[in-house]
Amino acid sequence: MSLNKLRNIAIVAHVDHGKTTLVDAMLWQSGTFRANQDVQERVMDSMDLEREKGITIMAKNTAVDYGDIKINIVDTPGHADFGGEVERTLRMVDGIMLLVDAAEGPLPQTRFVLSKSLELNLPVIVVINKIDRQDARPEEVLNEIYDLFIDLDANESQIEFPVLYAVAKDGQCKLDMEDDLKDLRPLLDTIIEEIPAPSGDPDASLQILVTNVKPDNYLGPLAIARVMQGTVRNRQHVMLCHRDDTQKKAQISALFVTEGLGRVEVTEAGPGSIISIGGMTGIGLGESIADAEDPLPLPPLHVDEPTMSMEFRINDSPFSGLEGQYVTSRHLRDRLMEEAESNLAIRIESTDNADSFLVYGRGELQMAILIEQMRREGYEFSVGTPRVIIKKVDGKNHEPFEKTMIDVPEEFMGNVMQKLSERKGIMTKMINHGSGRVRLEFDIPSRGLIGYRTQFLTDTKGTGLLTHLFDKFKPWAGDIVHRTTGALIADRNGKVTGYAVLNLQERGSLFVAPTEKVYLGMVVGENSRENDLDVNITKEKKLTNMRAASADSFEKLHPPRRMSLEESIEFIKEDELIEVTPASFRLRKRALDPHKRKKKEMA
């Protein structure tokens, strides 16, 4: 294919600003789907977790044909925890489409992806989406985007970006607010005009950058890559160039390009092509493939470093092995190493304990997604509380800080400011748009946000928006109180009884219901006071020969508090673990025996 007939573009934005919806609309209007399909779905969200959570987790590419020009589109995640996916994606494209909500304006992830794009000198097309919202303010949002470009030191050519206005869910856009909405042709025309065609000499020595590796049941590892220069051919012998400067010969067993949502096998591909290559066993993310006779490796791809860690360890509770298929430390290690190979933002380290591993990542959500994926695959394990990474700078401890943006109704502003100040947050900006909502910006230690999201939703009655993005390492901010309440802990193995629940529910909120099995050291509830309390939740009522009318008492049983995985991660303390199995989550103490716990407290 001629280079002039090809365009590569990434669509980037903050979470829930409409990236995937817009890509879906482009696929429909390009004729990728049958004309008689009248139900539009989020076809780009291919993972079960993506459909359930309504967010993009993994970057994925598709292609549309517009006239005689092929447009490769990469849909990227919008959550800051998946920034590694965005960073590697930007090396595949020649420009970006920056999507911004017409009401919310630029948010932290908008700033992150834009800064990375400007560093690579990629041209930008700005699309202001959701202009049909009642609270839309497109003119103000456009000014905020200009301010963001200036704040990121964009040069004159970068700041002269084209602007379109869109309603992605309806597949409509326009070039000026005064125009009528029409289909997406103005957007496609702008992509053709503003995004440069790929550069590269098709006759030069072969250079391919690998940006992803996916397993395939028939072809083995599939390397998702971009041809930087030269021409790659099916069955060609190539050289795999690794990060440690070692090289290994291999042969391409299959070569594909993307067409719509599928892939089509081809005999060759030139510069700028986004391809899938079979037979690349051993190739790593961010590494390169070069000519076998004259290898010229590309610099390996790097992403920003992790900011937090979590301990993953085997499940050694009394219920170990009852619900999971993969339970040993070897299974756990192999799965985590596999994840680290396919995700540059994840790093795995061994600990002094052979049954425990430290997983470094970007945030709680990224960890929660990894845990959820593993449990669905049949793994059983335990995880500890998130810990931020501490650095020594000039002999002093430094910790990661986050830029946090909060959008709340005015009535909840005081409560939010008080809670964040208690967590060492410092307010840097306050904007009142006059619509009854206020936008607050804070600099806060990453530690301060651990466990805060649930509290935030409670304080704002579910109406607040909280987003954050890693800023930089700053001096240690001091101690931060995490959870002020204690735990209710089962003091023996057995089944929960309604009689015990009835007597214990006044002590706090319980996580278990009658007839559920518990074990010694399992956390069965949250104490309303600061201290931990060992309780007998399996206690049965003593039988007598006296008839008692107690049936009505059990109608007063409160339903158990069921926490999601994210809420469990926020809840646990240093001395607690989450037991993760394919069937359930349980909270437990690290030391199950109460006597051992007391000895540790006294030590």
Side-chain angles (χ1 to χ4, degrees), residues 119-151:
E119 286 175 15
L120 295 171
N121 204 29
L122 296 174
V124 180
I125 297 173
V126 171
V127 179
I128 299 178
N129 191 27
K130 303 185 183 181
I131 59 172
D132 58 332
R133 286 181 57 162
Q134 290 185 350
D135 55 349
R137 48 188 189 90
E139 293 182 2
E140 292 178 44
V141 167
L142 182 57
N143 289 331
E144 291 174 9
I145 295 171
Y146 277 117
D147 291 341
L148 179 58
F149 270 75
I150 294 169
D151 192 33

mmCIF file of all heavy atoms in Angstrom, residues 119-151:
data_model
loop_
_atom_site.group_PDB
_atom_site.id
_atom_site.type_symbol
_atom_site.label_atom_id
_atom_site.label_comp_id
_atom_site.label_asym_id
_atom_site.label_seq_id
_atom_site.Cartn_x
_atom_site.Cartn_y
_atom_site.Cartn_z
ATOM 1 N N GLU A 119 5.402 15.654 23.586
ATOM 2 C CA GLU A 119 6.805 15.232 23.678
ATOM 3 C C GLU A 119 7.246 14.518 22.403
ATOM 4 O O GLU A 119 8.385 14.657 21.956
ATOM 5 C CB GLU A 119 6.997 14.303 24.879
ATOM 6 C CG GLU A 119 6.973 15.010 26.228
ATOM 7 C CD GLU A 119 7.046 14.015 27.380
ATOM 8 O OE1 GLU A 119 7.389 12.845 27.131
ATOM 9 O OE2 GLU A 119 6.758 14.408 28.520
ATOM 10 N N LEU A 120 6.315 13.735 21.801
ATOM 11 C CA LEU A 120 6.627 13.009 20.570
ATOM 12 C C LEU A 120 6.362 13.857 19.325
ATOM 13 O O LEU A 120 6.512 13.372 18.198
ATOM 14 C CB LEU A 120 5.788 11.723 20.502
ATOM 15 C CG LEU A 120 6.079 10.679 21.589
ATOM 16 C CD1 LEU A 120 5.050 9.555 21.546
ATOM 17 C CD2 LEU A 120 7.483 10.105 21.420
ATOM 18 N N ASN A 121 5.934 15.112 19.560
ATOM 19 C CA ASN A 121 5.660 16.055 18.467
ATOM 20 C C ASN A 121 4.580 15.529 17.520
ATOM 21 O O ASN A 121 4.666 15.686 16.297
ATOM 22 C CB ASN A 121 6.945 16.365 17.692
ATOM 23 C CG ASN A 121 6.872 17.709 16.987
ATOM 24 O OD1 ASN A 121 6.185 18.625 17.446
ATOM 25 N ND2 ASN A 121 7.556 17.828 15.860
ATOM 26 N N LEU A 122 3.551 14.900 18.085
ATOM 27 C CA LEU A 122 2.443 14.392 17.275
ATOM 28 C C LEU A 122 1.406 15.483 17.057
ATOM 29 O O LEU A 122 1.044 16.199 18.000
ATOM 30 C CB LEU A 122 1.774 13.199 17.970
ATOM 31 C CG LEU A 122 2.629 11.938 18.161
ATOM 32 C CD1 LEU A 122 1.863 10.912 18.994
ATOM 33 C CD2 LEU A 122 3.014 11.342 16.824
ATOM 34 N N PRO A 123 0.903 15.655 15.828
ATOM 35 C CA PRO A 123 -0.164 16.624 15.601
ATOM 36 C C PRO A 123 -1.457 16.199 16.303
ATOM 37 O O PRO A 123 -1.718 15.011 16.486
ATOM 38 C CB PRO A 123 -0.337 16.614 14.077
ATOM 39 C CG PRO A 123 0.230 15.308 13.632
ATOM 40 C CD PRO A 123 1.299 14.947 14.599
ATOM 41 N N VAL A 124 -2.256 17.186 16.695
ATOM 42 C CA VAL A 124 -3.452 16.924 17.504
ATOM 43 C C VAL A 124 -4.692 17.465 16.800
ATOM 44 O O VAL A 124 -4.695 18.583 16.278
ATOM 45 C CB VAL A 124 -3.324 17.588 18.896
ATOM 46 C CG1 VAL A 124 -4.563 17.306 19.741
ATOM 47 C CG2 VAL A 124 -2.072 17.104 19.609
ATOM 48 N N ILE A 125 -5.746 16.650 16.768
ATOM 49 C CA ILE A 125 -7.084 17.092 16.362
ATOM 50 C C ILE A 125 -7.946 17.091 17.615
ATOM 51 O O ILE A 125 -8.048 16.066 18.302
ATOM 52 C CB ILE A 125 -7.704 16.161 15.306
ATOM 53 C CG1 ILE A 125 -6.876 16.165 14.020
ATOM 54 C CG2 ILE A 125 -9.147 16.549 15.016
ATOM 55 C CD1 ILE A 125 -7.326 15.137 12.993
ATOM 56 N N VAL A 126 -8.542 18.227 17.972
ATOM 57 C CA VAL A 126 -9.370 18.318 19.177
ATOM 58 C C VAL A 126 -10.836 18.126 18.801
ATOM 59 O O VAL A 126 -11.339 18.775 17.874
ATOM 60 C CB VAL A 126 -9.168 19.676 19.881
ATOM 61 C CG1 VAL A 126 -10.190 19.858 21.000
ATOM 62 C CG2 VAL A 126 -7.760 19.778 20.435
ATOM 63 N N VAL A 127 -11.489 17.213 19.499
ATOM 64 C CA VAL A 127 -12.920 16.984 19.311
ATOM 65 C C VAL A 127 -13.615 17.246 20.636
ATOM 66 O O VAL A 127 -13.348 16.565 21.636
ATOM 67 C CB VAL A 127 -13.213 15.540 18.840
ATOM 68 C CG1 VAL A 127 -14.718 15.328 18.678
ATOM 69 C CG2 VAL A 127 -12.500 15.240 17.539
ATOM 70 N N ILE A 128 -14.477 18.245 20.673
ATOM 71 C CA ILE A 128 -15.255 18.542 21.872
ATOM 72 C C ILE A 128 -16.560 17.762 21.767
ATOM 73 O O ILE A 128 -17.415 18.054 20.922
ATOM 74 C CB ILE A 128 -15.501 20.057 22.016
ATOM 75 C CG1 ILE A 128 -14.150 20.780 22.145
ATOM 76 C CG2 ILE A 128 -16.381 20.353 23.222
ATOM 77 C CD1 ILE A 128 -14.257 22.277 22.246
ATOM 78 N N ASN A 129 -16.702 16.754 22.611
ATOM 79 C CA ASN A 129 -17.805 15.783 22.525
ATOM 80 C C ASN A 129 -18.931 16.135 23.511
ATOM 81 O O ASN A 129 -18.746 16.922 24.431
ATOM 82 C CB ASN A 129 -17.248 14.378 22.802
ATOM 83 C CG ASN A 129 -18.251 13.291 22.482
ATOM 84 O OD1 ASN A 129 -19.130 13.470 21.631
ATOM 85 N ND2 ASN A 129 -18.145 12.171 23.167
ATOM 86 N N LYS A 130 -20.070 15.529 23.297
ATOM 87 C CA LYS A 130 -21.251 15.674 24.168
ATOM 88 C C LYS A 130 -21.760 17.110 24.213
ATOM 89 O O LYS A 130 -22.133 17.624 25.272
ATOM 90 C CB LYS A 130 -20.949 15.169 25.578
ATOM 91 C CG LYS A 130 -20.468 13.713 25.636
ATOM 92 C CD LYS A 130 -20.311 13.235 27.057
ATOM 93 C CE LYS A 130 -19.763 11.818 27.113
ATOM 94 N NZ LYS A 130 -19.610 11.296 28.490
ATOM 95 N N ILE A 131 -21.777 17.774 23.053
ATOM 96 C CA ILE A 131 -22.268 19.156 23.023
ATOM 97 C C ILE A 131 -23.780 19.222 23.194
ATOM 98 O O ILE A 131 -24.349 20.310 23.316
ATOM 99 C CB ILE A 131 -21.866 19.861 21.703
ATOM 100 C CG1 ILE A 131 -22.437 19.102 20.492
ATOM 101 C CG2 ILE A 131 -20.362 20.009 21.597
ATOM 102 C CD1 ILE A 131 -22.251 19.840 19.190
ATOM 103 N N ASP A 132 -24.447 18.045 23.219
ATOM 104 C CA ASP A 132 -25.888 18.016 23.429
ATOM 105 C C ASP A 132 -26.260 18.002 24.910
ATOM 106 O O ASP A 132 -27.445 18.042 25.257
ATOM 107 C CB ASP A 132 -26.503 16.781 22.745
ATOM 108 C CG ASP A 132 -25.894 15.480 23.239
ATOM 109 O OD1 ASP A 132 -24.719 15.490 23.666
ATOM 110 O OD2 ASP A 132 -26.589 14.443 23.194
ATOM 111 N N ARG A 133 -25.268 17.953 25.813
ATOM 112 C CA ARG A 133 -25.564 17.979 27.245
ATOM 113 C C ARG A 133 -26.163 19.320 27.643
ATOM 114 O O ARG A 133 -25.797 20.369 27.084
ATOM 115 C CB ARG A 133 -24.289 17.725 28.065
ATOM 116 C CG ARG A 133 -23.821 16.295 28.053
ATOM 117 C CD ARG A 133 -22.580 16.093 28.880
ATOM 118 N NE ARG A 133 -22.735 16.506 30.279
ATOM 119 C CZ ARG A 133 -21.927 16.107 31.256
ATOM 120 N NH1 ARG A 133 -20.915 15.285 30.989
ATOM 121 N NH2 ARG A 133 -22.108 16.523 32.493
ATOM 122 N N GLN A 134 -27.060 19.281 28.620
ATOM 123 C CA GLN A 134 -27.691 20.526 29.071
ATOM 124 C C GLN A 134 -26.680 21.480 29.685
ATOM 125 O O GLN A 134 -26.833 22.697 29.597
ATOM 126 C CB GLN A 134 -28.800 20.214 30.086
ATOM 127 C CG GLN A 134 -30.028 19.537 29.467
ATOM 128 C CD GLN A 134 -31.136 19.359 30.483
ATOM 129 O OE1 GLN A 134 -30.939 19.557 31.675
ATOM 130 N NE2 GLN A 134 -32.323 18.996 30.010
ATOM 131 N N ASP A 135 -25.645 20.915 30.335
ATOM 132 C CA ASP A 135 -24.642 21.759 30.981
ATOM 133 C C ASP A 135 -23.400 21.948 30.113
ATOM 134 O O ASP A 135 -22.338 22.313 30.613
ATOM 135 C CB ASP A 135 -24.246 21.169 32.339
ATOM 136 C CG ASP A 135 -23.766 19.721 32.234
ATOM 137 O OD1 ASP A 135 -23.948 19.115 31.154
ATOM 138 O OD2 ASP A 135 -23.226 19.194 33.227
ATOM 139 N N ALA A 136 -23.528 21.694 28.813
ATOM 140 C CA ALA A 136 -22.383 21.838 27.903
ATOM 141 C C ALA A 136 -21.940 23.301 27.844
ATOM 142 O O ALA A 136 -22.769 24.220 27.843
ATOM 143 C CB ALA A 136 -22.755 21.342 26.510
ATOM 144 N N ARG A 137 -20.648 23.513 27.788
ATOM 145 C CA ARG A 137 -20.057 24.859 27.699
ATOM 146 C C ARG A 137 -18.858 24.810 26.754
ATOM 147 O O ARG A 137 -17.707 25.010 27.167
ATOM 148 C CB ARG A 137 -19.665 25.364 29.081
ATOM 149 C CG ARG A 137 -18.887 24.345 29.895
ATOM 150 C CD ARG A 137 -18.641 24.758 31.345
ATOM 151 N NE ARG A 137 -17.712 23.817 31.945
ATOM 152 C CZ ARG A 137 -16.394 23.930 31.955
ATOM 153 N NH1 ARG A 137 -15.829 24.986 31.385
ATOM 154 N NH2 ARG A 137 -15.620 23.030 32.522
ATOM 155 N N PRO A 138 -19.107 24.511 25.471
ATOM 156 C CA PRO A 138 -18.009 24.250 24.530
ATOM 157 C C PRO A 138 -17.014 25.389 24.380
ATOM 158 O O PRO A 138 -15.809 25.144 24.222
ATOM 159 C CB PRO A 138 -18.738 23.965 23.207
ATOM 160 C CG PRO A 138 -20.117 24.491 23.387
ATOM 161 C CD PRO A 138 -20.420 24.392 24.835
ATOM 162 N N GLU A 139 -17.477 26.651 24.420
ATOM 163 C CA GLU A 139 -16.548 27.774 24.245
ATOM 164 C C GLU A 139 -15.583 27.867 25.416
ATOM 165 O O GLU A 139 -14.374 28.071 25.231
ATOM 166 C CB GLU A 139 -17.334 29.076 24.085
ATOM 167 C CG GLU A 139 -18.143 29.138 22.786
ATOM 168 C CD GLU A 139 -18.880 30.457 22.642
ATOM 169 O OE1 GLU A 139 -18.724 31.320 23.542
ATOM 170 O OE2 GLU A 139 -19.608 30.621 21.653
ATOM 171 N N GLU A 140 -16.096 27.712 26.650
ATOM 172 C CA GLU A 140 -15.222 27.751 27.825
ATOM 173 C C GLU A 140 -14.246 26.574 27.807
ATOM 174 O O GLU A 140 -13.065 26.721 28.144
ATOM 175 C CB GLU A 140 -16.056 27.702 29.106
ATOM 176 C CG GLU A 140 -16.898 28.943 29.359
ATOM 177 C CD GLU A 140 -17.721 28.791 30.622
ATOM 178 O OE1 GLU A 140 -17.183 28.320 31.636
ATOM 179 O OE2 GLU A 140 -18.920 29.123 30.591
ATOM 180 N N VAL A 141 -14.737 25.403 27.418
ATOM 181 C CA VAL A 141 -13.886 24.218 27.374
ATOM 182 C C VAL A 141 -12.762 24.405 26.358
ATOM 183 O O VAL A 141 -11.611 24.028 26.612
ATOM 184 C CB VAL A 141 -14.725 22.961 27.056
ATOM 185 C CG1 VAL A 141 -13.828 21.782 26.683
ATOM 186 C CG2 VAL A 141 -15.596 22.592 28.243
ATOM 187 N N LEU A 142 -13.069 25.010 25.211
ATOM 188 C CA LEU A 142 -12.035 25.258 24.202
ATOM 189 C C LEU A 142 -10.954 26.180 24.763
ATOM 190 O O LEU A 142 -9.752 25.954 24.536
ATOM 191 C CB LEU A 142 -12.658 25.864 22.942
ATOM 192 C CG LEU A 142 -11.690 26.141 21.790
ATOM 193 C CD1 LEU A 142 -10.949 24.870 21.374
ATOM 194 C CD2 LEU A 142 -12.430 26.735 20.590
ATOM 195 N N ASN A 143 -11.355 27.204 25.526
ATOM 196 C CA ASN A 143 -10.367 28.100 26.147
ATOM 197 C C ASN A 143 -9.516 27.341 27.153
ATOM 198 O O ASN A 143 -8.303 27.582 27.269
ATOM 199 C CB ASN A 143 -11.078 29.278 26.826
ATOM 200 C CG ASN A 143 -11.682 30.255 25.824
ATOM 201 O OD1 ASN A 143 -11.172 30.392 24.709
ATOM 202 N ND2 ASN A 143 -12.759 30.919 26.208
ATOM 203 N N GLU A 144 -10.142 26.412 27.903
ATOM 204 C CA GLU A 144 -9.384 25.601 28.874
ATOM 205 C C GLU A 144 -8.384 24.694 28.153
ATOM 206 O O GLU A 144 -7.283 24.453 28.661
ATOM 207 C CB GLU A 144 -10.348 24.760 29.713
ATOM 208 C CG GLU A 144 -11.210 25.583 30.670
ATOM 209 C CD GLU A 144 -12.253 24.728 31.373
ATOM 210 O OE1 GLU A 144 -12.201 23.492 31.248
ATOM 211 O OE2 GLU A 144 -13.130 25.303 32.054
ATOM 212 N N ILE A 145 -8.760 24.208 26.966
ATOM 213 C CA ILE A 145 -7.838 23.366 26.188
ATOM 214 C C ILE A 145 -6.643 24.197 25.721
ATOM 215 O O ILE A 145 -5.488 23.741 25.795
ATOM 216 C CB ILE A 145 -8.576 22.725 24.993
ATOM 217 C CG1 ILE A 145 -9.657 21.759 25.485
ATOM 218 C CG2 ILE A 145 -7.593 21.977 24.088
ATOM 219 C CD1 ILE A 145 -10.581 21.251 24.396
ATOM 220 N N TYR A 146 -6.907 25.421 25.251
ATOM 221 C CA TYR A 146 -5.801 26.302 24.852
ATOM 222 C C TYR A 146 -4.876 26.565 26.048
ATOM 223 O O TYR A 146 -3.641 26.538 25.921
ATOM 224 C CB TYR A 146 -6.340 27.624 24.310
ATOM 225 C CG TYR A 146 -6.749 27.569 22.854
ATOM 226 C CD1 TYR A 146 -8.071 27.780 22.465
ATOM 227 C CD2 TYR A 146 -5.808 27.317 21.851
ATOM 228 C CE1 TYR A 146 -8.454 27.734 21.132
ATOM 229 C CE2 TYR A 146 -6.176 27.262 20.515
ATOM 230 C CZ TYR A 146 -7.500 27.474 20.163
ATOM 231 O OH TYR A 146 -7.873 27.415 18.839
ATOM 232 N N ASP A 147 -5.472 26.819 27.215
ATOM 233 C CA ASP A 147 -4.667 27.054 28.425
ATOM 234 C C ASP A 147 -3.814 25.834 28.744
ATOM 235 O O ASP A 147 -2.655 25.965 29.164
ATOM 236 C CB ASP A 147 -5.580 27.362 29.619
ATOM 237 C CG ASP A 147 -6.277 28.706 29.480
ATOM 238 O OD1 ASP A 147 -5.799 29.534 28.674
ATOM 239 O OD2 ASP A 147 -7.309 28.921 30.159
ATOM 240 N N LEU A 148 -4.382 24.641 28.544
ATOM 241 C CA LEU A 148 -3.639 23.412 28.820
ATOM 242 C C LEU A 148 -2.455 23.265 27.866
ATOM 243 O O LEU A 148 -1.343 22.908 28.284
ATOM 244 C CB LEU A 148 -4.575 22.208 28.695
ATOM 245 C CG LEU A 148 -3.961 20.833 28.928
ATOM 246 C CD1 LEU A 148 -3.338 20.753 30.317
ATOM 247 C CD2 LEU A 148 -5.015 19.737 28.753
ATOM 248 N N PHE A 149 -2.661 23.571 26.580
ATOM 249 C CA PHE A 149 -1.566 23.510 25.603
ATOM 250 C C PHE A 149 -0.442 24.475 26.003
ATOM 251 O O PHE A 149 0.746 24.124 25.955
ATOM 252 C CB PHE A 149 -2.079 23.863 24.207
ATOM 253 C CG PHE A 149 -2.564 22.692 23.409
ATOM 254 C CD1 PHE A 149 -3.785 22.097 23.675
ATOM 255 C CD2 PHE A 149 -1.793 22.167 22.379
ATOM 256 C CE1 PHE A 149 -4.236 21.013 22.937
ATOM 257 C CE2 PHE A 149 -2.224 21.087 21.633
ATOM 258 C CZ PHE A 149 -3.455 20.504 21.917
ATOM 259 N N ILE A 150 -0.825 25.691 26.404
ATOM 260 C CA ILE A 150 0.175 26.686 26.790
ATOM 261 C C ILE A 150 0.922 26.231 28.041
ATOM 262 O O ILE A 150 2.143 26.353 28.145
ATOM 263 C CB ILE A 150 -0.514 28.052 27.024
ATOM 264 C CG1 ILE A 150 -1.071 28.578 25.689
ATOM 265 C CG2 ILE A 150 0.455 29.047 27.643
ATOM 266 C CD1 ILE A 150 -1.980 29.773 25.829
ATOM 267 N N ASP A 151 0.162 25.663 29.000
ATOM 268 C CA ASP A 151 0.764 25.197 30.247
ATOM 269 C C ASP A 151 1.768 24.068 29.994
ATOM 270 O O ASP A 151 2.735 23.907 30.743
ATOM 271 C CB ASP A 151 -0.345 24.720 31.192
ATOM 272 C CG ASP A 151 0.160 24.485 32.602
ATOM 273 O OD1 ASP A 151 1.073 25.218 33.029
ATOM 274 O OD2 ASP A 151 -0.346 23.574 33.277
#
